[in-house]
């Protein structure tokens, strides 16, 4: 499968990184390499395999590529922590999801053609034929970005019904 693989830790090469794996300023390869023959992730009994339609890029992903995030996977690794796509295979213990279902989920390795996710954390979006590409792209940012905002407002700010909040900006 095709995957964007982090082969070394370091600062991203900026917007140039999305176009090329060469860092113009340093003249050496950037931390990410597009690999066309990367092995498919193994599926455990409690996981689902997802054909990736979209993956979001979070602040935590950028920190992880630089080696500054609390979770430090072994090199090489496929970055990407949020995904939307279509279930292609389910583990033996998974009963609530079926192949062909559109889903979004937190998942490591989302910057690839396929990834696996714990079935308990996968959110069904319904039959895949009912969703447009733009809806799948929006759904990719739902698990972590929305989840973070929800926890901030519910748990930390303890927002109650009838209260109003004005959010002027947000970021990593």
């Amino acid at each position: 499968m095709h995957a964007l693989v982090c082969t070394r830790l370091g600062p991203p090469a900026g917007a140039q990184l999305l176009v090329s794996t060469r860092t113009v300023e340093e003249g050496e390869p950037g931390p990410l390499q597009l690999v066309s023959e990367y092995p498919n992730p193994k599926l455990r009994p409690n996981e689902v395999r997802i054909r990736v339609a979209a993956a979001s890029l979070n602040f935590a992903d950028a920190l992880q590529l630089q080696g500054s995030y609390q979770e430090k996977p072994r090199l090489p690794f496929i970055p990407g922590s949020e995904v939307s796509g279509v279930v292609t295979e389910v583990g033996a213990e998974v009963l609530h999801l079926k192949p062909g279902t559109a889903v979004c989920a937190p998942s490591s390795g989302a910057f690839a053609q396929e990834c696996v996710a714990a079935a308990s954390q996968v959110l069904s979006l319904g039959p895949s034929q009912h969703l447009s590409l733009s809806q799948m792209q929006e759904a990719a940012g739902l698990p972590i970005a929305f989840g973070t905002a929800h926890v901030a407002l519910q748990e930390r700010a303890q927002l109650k019904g009838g209260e109003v909040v004005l959010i002027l900006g947000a970021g990593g």
Side-chain angles (χ1 to χ4, degrees):
M1 77 172 168
H2 287 84
L4 196 57
V5 179
C6 180
T7 56
R8 67 175 178 84
L9 300 178
Q16 189 73 22
L17 185 62
L18 298 176
V19 178
S20 169
T21 57
R22 300 293 298 170
T23 305
V24 175
E25 302 82 34
E26 301 171 16
E28 65 182 63
L32 297 175
Q33 304 293 318
L34 183 59
V35 177
S36 60
E37 297 293 326
Y38 204 80
N40 289 345
K42 293 184 179 169
L43 185 70
R44 295 186 183 126
N46 63 340
E47 294 177 329
V48 298
R49 183 177 310 281
I50 300 169
R51 184 180 65 240
V52 175
S56 69
L57 177 63
N58 292 298
F59 186 59
D61 296 313
L63 290 176
Q64 198 170 51
L65 290 171
Q66 295 175 51
S68 302
Y69 195 63
Q70 61 260 29
E71 294 175 15
K72 295 178 175 48
R74 281 194 273 165
L75 293 171
F77 70 93
I78 302 171
S81 55
E82 273 183 306
V83 66
S84 68
V86 178
V87 174
T88 59
E89 185 180 1
V90 298
E93 297 173 7
V94 179
L95 303 175
H96 68 287
L97 295 165
K98 304 286 182 226
T101 304
V103 296
C104 64
S107 173
S108 59
F111 294 170
Q113 287 180 308
E114 291 186 350
C115 67
V116 295
S120 63
Q121 295 187 5
V122 173
L123 176 64
S124 172
L125 303 172
S128 61
Q129 65 269 23
H130 297 292
L131 295 175
S132 67
L133 178 59
S134 65
Q135 289 172 314
M136 293 296 278
Q137 290 168 338
E138 290 172 0
L142 187 62
I144 294 174
F146 173 79
T148 300
H150 179 74
V151 168
L153 293 172
Q154 294 281 68
E155 312 268 327
R156 301 289 293 164
Q158 298 181 349
L159 193 64
K160 305 283 187 252
E163 293 181 327
V164 177
V165 131
L166 174 62
I167 300 172
L168 299 174

